[in-house]
């Protein structure tokens, strides 16, 4: 299903014209003529508009513009805007190695070089090989900030769940999981450096660094926020909220999970979050007032306890048209009460 959903628009258009029309009987249209109907074999053409992509700022004032034609961009050898130093990369490899010993060492050396290139600083790494996902014995924590890279043999949900619970709950150590086949994939000769870059971005974010931010001005000197937009960004907290209900295979009474994330400064880069359990399949965010108050507190702390946001831009996911009154009449007032309490 994912492969079908990820097709490019041109591929879908070609399938509709060359395969869809014959399946629907629209190639030979004799049966439509008595009704005075005909269906063109070409798509309707309309004028399209393009929004200017944001200009992203990196270290040393280098900037980059995403490629809007394929909805992606790469780091293009930029260093992160604010990289945090990684003293030593710890690697835990579960089950048999994904490549032989020689290639395994070359693989890790290539990955470490990419981390160094993006400003994370590390040149050292250590490897622990395990035969099972039982990492409960790894309760030692090295000094300094640390992210553990965990190489999983496959995309097994039960194994991932164990790993995250041990590291996030029991150990309190940051970890980043990768799948062995993807991590060791060759791409045109060398390893997939773009995949390494994506993992490096996650490393830096988990360490508290900043990968990039919106440039205040473009190369032409024109503000990218438009008019007073820059000041709006400095004074506005962007909030995202959603409720995740239990899936069909969950046990009866399994609670829903509600979460709220929000920015803490004008760079719109760090989104800190709050989460709550609530009644099963309840769509309204029950703890919205408390969680919004926590997000306002994080903004206040980030601004040295001097100011609160002057506006909130609230993105609410997962509601249908029929649920808009619920958001308007119950959730928005909860946000207002949190603001009054914070003030």
């Amino acid at each position: 299903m994912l492969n079908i959903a990820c097709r490019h628009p041109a591929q879908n258009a070609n399938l509709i014209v060359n395969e869809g029309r014959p399946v629907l009987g629209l190639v030979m249209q004799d049966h439509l003529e008595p009704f005075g109907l005909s269906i063109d074999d070409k798509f309707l053409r309309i004028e399209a508009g393009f929004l200017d992509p944001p200009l992203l700022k990196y270290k040393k004032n280098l900037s980059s513009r995403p490629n809007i034609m394929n909805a992606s961009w790469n780091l293009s050898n930029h260093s992160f805007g604010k990289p945090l130093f990684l003293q030593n990369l710890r690697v835990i490899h579960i089950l048999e190695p994904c490549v032989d010993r020689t290639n395994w060492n070359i693989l890790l050396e290539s990955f470490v070089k990419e981390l160094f290139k993006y400003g994370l600083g590390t040149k050292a790494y250590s490897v622990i090989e395990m035969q099972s996902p039982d990492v409960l014995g790894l309760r030692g924590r090295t000094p300094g900030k640390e992210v553990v890279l965990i190489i999983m043999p496959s995309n097994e949900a039960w194994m991932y769940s164990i790993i995250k619970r041990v590291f996030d709950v029991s150990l309190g150590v940051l970890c980043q999981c990768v799948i062995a086949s993807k991590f060791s994939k060759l791409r045109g000769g060398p390893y997939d450096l773009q995949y390494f870059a994506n993992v490096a971005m996650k490393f830096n974010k988990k360490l508290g660094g900043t990968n990039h931010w919106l440039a205040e001005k473009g190369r032409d000197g024109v503000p990218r926020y438009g008019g007073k937009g820059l000041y709006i960004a400095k004074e506005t907290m962007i909030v995202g909220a959603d409720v995740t209900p239990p899936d069909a295979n969950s046990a009866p009474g399994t609670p829903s999970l509600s979460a709220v994330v929000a920015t803490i400064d004008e760079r719109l880069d760090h989104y800190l979050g709050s989460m709550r359990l609530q009644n099963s399949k309840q769509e309204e965010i029950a703890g919205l007032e408390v969680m919004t108050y926590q997000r306002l507190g994080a903004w206040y702390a980030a601004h040295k306890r001097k100011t609160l946001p002057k506006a909130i831009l609230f993105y609410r996911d997962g509601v249908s048209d029929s649920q808009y009154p619920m958001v308007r009449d119950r959730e928005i007032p909860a946000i207002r009460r949190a603001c009054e309490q914070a003030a």
Side-chain angles (χ1 to χ4, degrees), residues 99-130:
V99 292
D100 62 43
R101 174 60 62 187
T102 302
N103 290 336
W104 175 250
N105 291 334
I106 295 174
L107 169 66
L108 283 177
E109 289 173 2
S110 298
F111 178 65
V112 168
K113 285 181 180 178
E114 291 300 298
L115 294 180
F116 185 79
K117 181 173 71 176
Y118 295 124
L120 294 181
T122 184
K123 285 187 176 181
Y125 66 90
S126 58
V127 182
I128 298 175
E129 294 186 357
M130 306 189 72

Side-chain angles (χ1 to χ4, degrees), residues 60-303:
K60 298 180 180 178
N61 292 321
L62 293 175
S63 56
S64 177
R65 193 183 302 280
N67 185 344
I68 62 174
M69 299 311 295
N70 61 13
S72 66
W73 78 89
N74 59 50
L75 291 174
S76 302
N77 296 321
H78 293 325
S79 292
F80 294 139
K82 182 185 175 184
L84 289 194
F85 188 81
L86 183 62
Q87 293 182 350
N88 178 51
L89 174 64
R90 291 180 60 194
V91 182
I92 296 178
H93 185 227
I94 300 175
L95 300 179
E96 70 267 15
C98 55
V99 292
D100 62 43
R101 174 60 62 187
T102 302
N103 290 336
W104 175 250
N105 291 334
I106 295 174
L107 169 66
L108 283 177
E109 289 173 2
S110 298
F111 178 65
V112 168
K113 285 181 180 178
E114 291 300 298
L115 294 180
F116 185 79
K117 181 173 71 176
Y118 295 124
L120 294 181
T122 184
K123 285 187 176 181
Y125 66 90
S126 58
V127 182
I128 298 175
E129 294 186 357
M130 306 189 72
Q131 297 301 313
S132 73
D134 182 13
V135 291
L136 289 171
L138 295 174
R139 295 189 178 276
R141 186 170 183 176
T142 59
K145 294 186 176 181
E146 174 191 29
V147 176
V148 179
L149 176 68
I150 301 178
I151 314 291
M152 295 175 55
S154 60
N155 190 19
E156 296 286 351
W158 63 269
M159 184 182 296
Y160 179 80
S161 177
I162 291 175
I163 291 170
K164 297 302 291 184
R165 182 169 184 82
V166 168
F167 278 85
D168 292 352
V169 179
S170 300
L171 299 179
V173 175
L174 299 169
C175 72
Q176 177 63 48
C177 294
V178 296
I179 307 302
S181 59
K182 294 182 178 180
F183 189 68
S184 62
K185 182 179 179 181
L186 297 176
R187 188 173 183 179
Y191 295 103
D192 190 344
L193 300 184
Q194 183 61 40
Y195 184 86
F196 287 176
N198 290 337
V199 176
M201 292 174 69
K202 294 178 180 180
F203 269 33
N204 194 46
K205 290 297 295 182
K206 290 185 177 184
L207 288 168
T210 299
N211 294 336
H212 56 255
W213 56 85
L214 292 174
E216 297 178 6
K217 296 182 179 180
R219 295 186 182 91
D220 54 4
V222 177
R224 287 303 172 197
Y225 292 103
K228 295 183 179 181
L230 176 60
Y231 302 99
I232 294 174
K234 286 184 176 180
E235 298 173 345
T236 301
M237 184 173 76
I238 299 179
V239 178
D242 194 12
V243 175
T244 302
D247 60 32
N249 297 322
S250 299
T254 300
S256 294
L257 177 66
S258 60
V260 174
V261 298
T263 56
I264 58 173
D265 57 33
E266 69 274 10
R267 288 186 172 178
L268 313 181
D269 178 70
H270 289 288
Y271 285 77
L272 303 184
S274 301
M275 59 182 289
R276 292 288 187 279
L277 296 177
Q278 61 182 51
N279 292 337
S280 182
K281 299 182 179 181
Q282 175 183 330
E283 283 298 333
E284 180 182 351
I285 302 178
L288 184 58
E289 179 179 345
V290 175
M291 290 189 285
T292 302
Y293 178 78
Q294 291 175 338
R295 297 304 96 228
L296 289 167
W299 173 288
Y300 187 61
H303 288 78

Side-chain angles (χ1 to χ4, degrees), residues 276-341:
R276 292 288 187 279
L277 296 177
Q278 61 182 51
N279 292 337
S280 182
K281 299 182 179 181
Q282 175 183 330
E283 283 298 333
E284 180 182 351
I285 302 178
L288 184 58
E289 179 179 345
V290 175
M291 290 189 285
T292 302
Y293 178 78
Q294 291 175 338
R295 297 304 96 228
L296 289 167
W299 173 288
Y300 187 61
H303 288 78
K304 300 180 180 179
R305 306 178 69 83
K306 292 182 179 180
T307 181
L308 288 167
K310 293 185 178 180
I312 291 177
L313 179 57
F314 182 53
Y315 287 93
R316 175 63 160 95
D317 192 20
V319 291
S320 62
D321 293 353
S322 63
Q323 294 172 318
Y324 287 171
M326 173 195 73
V327 176
R328 181 193 62 211
D329 299 335
R330 298 200 289 273
E331 293 189 346
I332 296 301
I335 294 175
R336 295 185 184 280
R337 290 194 299 271
C339 294
E340 293 171 357
Q341 185 179 356

